[in-house]
Coordinates of all heavy atoms in Angstrom, one line a residue:
E581 N 2.6 -6.8 9.6 CA 2.4 -8.1 10.3 C 3.7 -8.9 10.3 O 4.2 -9.3 9.3 CB 1.3 -8.9 9.6 CG 1.0 -10.3 10.3 CD -0.1 -11.0 9.5 OE1 -0.6 -10.5 8.6 OE2 -0.3 -12.2 9.9
T582 N 4.3 -9.1 11.5 CA 5.6 -9.7 11.6 C 5.5 -11.2 11.6 O 4.3 -11.8 11.6 CB 6.3 -9.3 12.9 OG1 5.6 -9.8 14.0 CG2 6.4 -7.8 13.0
D583 N 6.6 -11.9 11.5 CA 6.6 -13.4 11.5 C 6.1 -14.0 12.8 O 5.8 -15.2 12.9 CB 8.0 -13.9 11.2 CG 9.0 -13.4 12.1 OD1 8.7 -12.6 13.0 OD2 10.2 -13.8 11.9
K584 N 6.0 -13.2 13.8 CA 5.4 -13.6 15.1 C 3.9 -13.3 15.3 O 3.4 -13.4 16.3 CB 6.2 -13.0 16.3 CG 7.7 -13.4 16.3 CD 8.4 -12.7 17.5 CE 9.9 -13.1 17.5 NZ 10.6 -12.4 18.7
N585 N 3.3 -13.0 14.1 CA 1.9 -12.7 14.1 C 1.5 -11.4 14.9 O 0.4 -11.3 15.4 CB 1.1 -13.9 14.5 CG 1.2 -15.0 13.6 OD1 1.2 -14.9 12.4 ND2 1.2 -16.2 14.1
N586 N 2.5 -10.6 15.1 CA 2.2 -9.3 15.8 C 1.9 -8.2 14.7 O 2.5 -8.2 13.7 CB 3.5 -8.9 16.6 CG 3.7 -9.8 17.8 OD1 2.8 -10.3 18.4 ND2 5.0 -10.1 18.1
I587 N 1.0 -7.4 15.1 CA 0.6 -6.3 14.2 C 1.2 -5.0 14.8 O 0.8 -4.6 15.9 CB -0.9 -6.1 14.0 CG1 -1.5 -7.5 13.5 CG2 -1.2 -5.0 13.0 CD1 -1.0 -7.9 12.2
V588 N 2.0 -4.3 14.0 CA 2.7 -3.1 14.5 C 2.3 -1.9 13.6 O 2.4 -2.0 12.4 CB 4.2 -3.2 14.6 CG1 4.9 -1.9 15.1 CG2 4.6 -4.4 15.4
L589 N 1.9 -0.8 14.2 CA 1.6 0.4 13.4 C 2.9 1.2 13.1 O 3.7 1.5 13.9 CB 0.7 1.4 14.3 CG 0.4 2.7 13.6 CD1 -0.4 2.6 12.4 CD2 -0.3 3.6 14.6
L590 N 3.1 1.3 11.8 CA 4.3 2.0 11.3 C 4.1 3.5 11.1 O 5.0 4.3 11.2 CB 4.8 1.4 10.0 CG 5.4 0.0 10.1 CD1 5.9 -0.4 8.7 CD2 6.6 0.0 11.1
G591 N 2.9 3.9 10.8 CA 2.6 5.3 10.5 C 1.1 5.6 10.3 O 0.4 4.7 9.8
K592 N 0.7 6.8 10.5 CA -0.7 7.1 10.3 C -0.8 8.3 9.3 O 0.1 9.1 9.2 CB -1.4 7.5 11.6 CG -1.5 6.4 12.6 CD -2.2 6.8 13.9 CE -3.7 7.2 13.7 NZ -4.5 6.0 13.3
N593 N -1.9 8.3 8.6 CA -2.2 9.4 7.6 C -1.1 9.6 6.6 O -0.6 10.7 6.4 CB -2.5 10.7 8.4 CG -3.7 10.5 9.3 OD1 -4.6 9.8 9.0 ND2 -3.7 11.2 10.5
I594 N -0.6 8.5 6.1 CA 0.5 8.6 5.1 C -0.1 8.7 3.7 O -1.0 8.0 3.3 CB 1.4 7.3 5.2 CG1 2.1 7.3 6.6 CG2 2.4 7.3 4.1 CD1 2.9 6.1 6.8
L595 N 0.4 9.7 2.9 CA -0.1 10.0 1.6 C 0.4 8.9 0.6 O 1.5 8.6 0.5 CB 0.4 11.4 1.1 CG 0.1 11.8 -0.3 CD1 -1.4 11.9 -0.5 CD2 0.8 13.1 -0.6
V596 N -0.6 8.4 -0.2 CA -0.3 7.5 -1.3 C 0.0 8.4 -2.6 O -0.9 9.1 -3.0 CB -1.5 6.6 -1.6 CG1 -1.2 5.7 -2.8 CG2 -1.8 5.7 -0.4
L597 N 1.2 8.3 -3.1 CA 1.6 9.1 -4.2 C 1.2 8.4 -5.5 O 0.8 9.1 -6.5 CB 3.1 9.3 -4.3 CG 3.7 10.1 -3.1 CD1 5.2 10.1 -3.2 CD2 3.2 11.5 -3.2
E598 N 1.2 7.1 -5.6 CA 0.9 6.4 -6.8 C 0.7 4.9 -6.5 O 1.2 4.4 -5.5 CB 2.1 6.6 -7.8 CG 1.8 6.0 -9.2 CD 3.0 6.3 -10.1 OE1 4.1 6.1 -9.7 OE2 2.7 6.7 -11.3
T599 N 0.0 4.2 -7.4 CA -0.1 2.8 -7.4 C 0.0 2.3 -8.8 O -0.1 3.2 -9.8 CB -1.5 2.3 -6.8 OG1 -2.5 2.5 -7.8 CG2 -1.9 3.0 -5.5
N600 N 0.1 1.1 -9.1 CA 0.2 0.6 -10.4 C -1.1 0.9 -11.2 O -1.1 1.0 -12.4 CB 0.5 -0.9 -10.5 CG -0.5 -1.7 -9.8 OD1 -0.6 -1.7 -8.6 ND2 -1.3 -2.5 -10.6
K601 N -2.2 1.0 -10.5 CA -3.5 1.3 -11.2 C -3.6 2.8 -11.6 O -4.5 3.2 -12.3 CB -4.6 1.0 -10.2 CG -4.7 -0.5 -10.0 CD -6.0 -0.9 -9.1 CE -7.2 -0.6 -9.9 NZ -8.4 -1.0 -9.1
S602 N -2.7 3.6 -11.0 CA -2.8 5.1 -11.4 C -1.8 5.5 -12.5 O -1.7 6.6 -12.9 CB -2.5 5.9 -10.1 OG -1.2 5.8 -9.6
T603 N -1.0 4.5 -13.0 CA -0.1 4.8 -14.0 C -0.8 4.9 -15.4 O -1.9 4.5 -15.5 CB 1.0 3.7 -14.1 OG1 0.4 2.5 -14.3 CG2 1.9 3.7 -12.9
K604 N -0.1 5.5 -16.3 CA -0.8 5.8 -17.6 C -1.3 4.6 -18.4 O -2.4 4.7 -19.0 CB 0.3 6.5 -18.5 CG -0.3 7.0 -19.9 CD 0.8 7.7 -20.7 CE 0.3 8.1 -22.0 NZ 1.4 8.8 -22.8
N605 N -0.6 3.5 -18.3 CA -1.0 2.3 -19.1 C -1.8 1.3 -18.3 O -2.0 0.2 -18.8 CB 0.2 1.6 -19.7 CG 1.0 2.5 -20.6 OD1 0.4 3.3 -21.4 ND2 2.3 2.5 -20.6
S606 N -2.3 1.7 -17.1 CA -3.1 0.7 -16.3 C -4.5 0.6 -16.8 O -5.0 1.4 -17.6 CB -3.1 1.2 -14.9 OG -3.8 2.4 -14.8
K607 N -5.1 -0.6 -16.4 CA -6.5 -0.9 -16.8 C -7.4 -0.8 -15.6 O -7.0 -1.0 -14.5 CB -6.6 -2.2 -17.5 CG -5.7 -2.4 -18.7 CD -5.8 -3.8 -19.3 CE -4.9 -3.9 -20.5 NZ -4.9 -5.3 -21.1
D608 N -8.7 -0.5 -15.8 CA -9.6 -0.4 -14.7 C -9.8 -1.7 -14.0 O -10.0 -1.7 -12.8 CB -11.0 0.0 -15.3 CG -11.0 1.5 -15.8 OD1 -10.1 2.2 -15.4 OD2 -11.8 1.8 -16.6
T609 N -9.6 -2.8 -14.7 CA -9.8 -4.1 -14.1 C -8.5 -4.7 -13.4 O -8.5 -5.7 -12.8 CB -10.2 -5.2 -15.1 OG1 -9.3 -5.2 -16.2 CG2 -11.6 -4.8 -15.7

């Protein structure tokens, strides 16, 4: 979402490798 309130598609079907919730010390909450 740009500063002109335009929504632009950057890519489709992109693989998520990791999030902070998937790291070793993360909590369920």
Side-chain angles (χ1 to χ4, degrees):
E581 180 181 354
T582 67
D583 54 359
K584 296 181 180 179
N585 295 322
N586 292 324
I587 306 295
V588 179
L589 175 64
L590 290 182
K592 294 181 68 66
N593 300 327
I594 294 178
L595 174 64
V596 176
L597 293 174
E598 189 178 41
T599 76
N600 60 291
K601 293 183 67 173
S602 64
T603 57
K604 182 178 180 180
N605 297 321
S606 64
K607 300 178 181 179
D608 293 338
T609 57

